[in-house]
Amino acid sequence: MRQVQLSDVEARVYDAVAALEARGQVPYPDMIAQECGLTEEQLQTPLHLLTEKNLLHREDSPMAGLDFGPRFCAQQLA
């Protein structure tokens, strides 16, 4: 398997998403930002990069009329 190189901030964001999921919390951007100590603005680039690297995937609200914003889910690392 090929090794994916992550910057420090990307690793912190990925770990924050995984930690939220492990606790059964929904990884919305505000929760991720709080978990890894970033602002939501600082979070945008690492979320985008992790999504491009297929380490996170974005899910929009599945219920019509109840859009709480996107959530990001960690892909399992093999």
Side-chain angles (χ1 to χ4, degrees):
M1 180 181 142
R2 92 174 194 230
Q3 185 73 6
V4 177
Q5 296 290 15
L6 299 179
S7 69
D8 179 57
V9 72
E10 288 172 328
R12 284 176 41 208
V13 170
Y14 181 85
D15 290 343
V17 171
L20 288 166
E21 290 180 325
R23 292 194 304 261
Q25 295 177 294
V26 179
Y28 291 117
D30 60 336
M31 297 287 290
I32 299 167
Q34 182 179 354
E35 183 75 19
C36 62
L38 299 173
T39 66
E40 286 189 59
E41 292 77 29
Q42 293 170 316
L43 192 62
Q44 296 306 312
T45 298
L47 283 177
H48 178 74
L49 293 172
L50 288 166
T51 301
E52 281 186 344
K53 293 176 182 179
N54 292 321
L55 295 175
L56 296 181
H57 68 275
R58 177 187 168 135
E59 294 181 354
D60 293 315
S61 181
M63 299 176 71
L66 292 177
D67 187 9
F68 296 109
R71 57 189 174 272
F72 291 83
C73 303
Q75 304 284 40
Q76 295 298 317
L77 297 177

